[in-house]
Amino acid sequence: MKIKCADFNAVVISRPSFDDTALISFLESQGLDWVRSGGTEAEEIVEVSGRVCYLSFGKNRQSPRDNKSYIANLISQGHESVLEHVNWTVLLSGVSRGFTHQLVRHRVGFAYSQLSQQYHDESDALFVVPPSIKKNKELFTEWADDIYRSLSTYRKIINTVEKSQLTDKESLRELRTAARSALPNATESKIIITVNARALRHFFEVRGCLEGDWEMRQVACKLFEMVCCDAPSLFYDFKKVEMLDGSFKLVKR
């Protein structure tokens, strides 16, 4: 094959961490105590954030709900601002530039750092092939040929365009900016995202269910699996459902 296709991968590089000793010290200074009822670090951060609003700590002040029920009640009542205190940082690779163009439209609760095509040489770029093309041998061959021509054009621009009168740094930026114009949306990219639980819930609801957008569903489902390991109660009302083609989508329970 003339081109190299990328494999999707996602890794969590930062997750919620709770310093409960600091909280307990604060509560003691206020003459309060906290009746803990289980929950992960992320889930306890959400519970504490909710309880601080009313200083509802201690046997005489706390509701009988355990951590899981407390969070479920917050979500059912629409009081999701406390979920913004819980964040994950995830490194995505093997995703297409077309995908990231859509992803970065999500601004509230998200932060991004993406591989720059102005500074990174894409002469050996990988590419993301849609499943509908991959399973059609004839179509895939034609697609791969077009991708290869684009990559060849990129390499030609990099190797033949004369340097401008700019500084070396800016001349190289200008060159790669010109060259990247030949690359397709299927070009593989790498991006780090930091996102809070409330923003993720919105992302799962509006993106995880898009049956016609396989890459959004793929990323949404992977993120769902990862964050549920740390905070299942924050996403209890979502579930993965298998589609007829064997892929998955997210739906509200």
Side-chain angles (χ1 to χ4, degrees):
M1 187 175 61
K2 297 178 181 179
I3 64 168
K4 296 179 180 179
C5 292
D7 293 320
F8 170 67
N9 190 35
V11 291
V12 178
I13 61 175
S14 177
R15 51 180 22 102
S17 177
F18 178 35
D19 187 348
D20 58 348
T21 58
L23 173 73
I24 291 170
S25 177
F26 164 77
L27 292 177
E28 289 175 349
S29 73
Q30 302 294 309
L32 301 170
D33 62 341
W34 176 26
V35 181
R36 301 172 81 166
S37 58
T40 65
E41 291 187 76
E43 291 165 344
E44 287 196 325
I45 290 172
V46 171
E47 178 187 342
V48 167
S49 300
R51 292 195 181 284
V52 164
C53 295
Y54 309 97
L55 283 185
S56 56
F57 293 92
K59 294 181 180 179
N60 297 326
R61 298 191 183 195
Q62 289 188 210
S63 69
R65 295 188 181 94
D66 61 13
N67 175 273
K68 182 177 181 179
S69 299
Y70 183 87
I71 291 173
N73 183 63
L74 288 175
I75 292 173
S76 68
Q77 296 296 320
H79 300 318
E80 296 190 20
S81 62
V82 290
L83 274 67
E84 296 175 24
H85 298 294
V86 175
N87 295 269
W88 287 265
T89 300
V90 181
L91 170 58
L92 301 177
S93 59
V95 291
S96 71
R97 294 287 297 193
F99 162 78
T100 60
H101 289 333
Q102 292 180 285
L103 176 64
V104 298
R105 294 174 183 171
H106 292 267
R107 297 304 307 162
V108 178
F110 283 80
Y112 304 102
S113 297
Q114 185 173 3
L115 176 68
S116 171
Q117 290 184 329
Q118 288 186 323
Y119 291 98
H120 179 257
D121 188 345
E122 297 280 18
S123 295
D124 295 315
L126 304 179
F127 298 91
V128 178
V129 54
S132 56
I133 293 177
K134 189 175 183 179
K135 66 183 181 182
N136 185 318
K137 186 176 180 179
E138 182 179 350
L139 192 59
F140 175 74
T141 298
E142 185 173 344
W143 177 87
D145 286 342
D146 284 341
I147 295 292
Y148 181 74
R149 282 192 289 271
S150 296
L151 184 58
S152 297
T153 300
Y154 176 92
R155 292 169 176 168
K156 185 175 182 179
I157 294 171
I158 289 291
N159 293 321
T160 61
V161 171
E162 294 183 4
K163 286 189 175 182
S164 68
Q165 298 303 310
L166 301 174
T167 63
D168 287 344
K169 179 181 178 181
E170 291 306 309
S171 179
L172 185 58
R173 186 206 302 269
E174 183 182 52
L175 178 62
R176 287 179 176 160
T177 298
R180 71 175 180 174
S181 66
L183 295 175
N185 276 336
T187 307
E188 188 256 1
S189 189
K190 298 167 179 63
I191 187 169
I192 285 180
I193 65 172
T194 296
V195 57
N196 68 57
R198 186 183 195 180
L200 267 178
R201 287 180 54 83
H202 175 70
F203 179 75
F204 291 160
E205 185 169 3
V206 301
R207 294 292 193 174
C209 63
L210 295 177
E211 296 186 357
D213 193 333
W214 69 274
E215 202 168 6
M216 272 293 176
R217 287 187 290 103
Q218 174 180 253
V219 172
C221 287
K222 184 61 177 180
L223 291 175
F224 176 70
E225 292 174 1
M226 298 169 108
V227 298
C228 279
C229 291
D230 295 323
S233 293
L234 305 188
F235 309 97
Y236 76 96
D237 49 345
F238 289 91
K239 65 178 180 179
K240 277 177 56 177
V241 175
E242 187 172 5
M243 297 174 57
L244 294 177
D245 63 359
S247 64
F248 291 87
K249 65 179 179 178
L250 296 179
V251 298
K252 278 292 210 57
R253 295 180 185 274

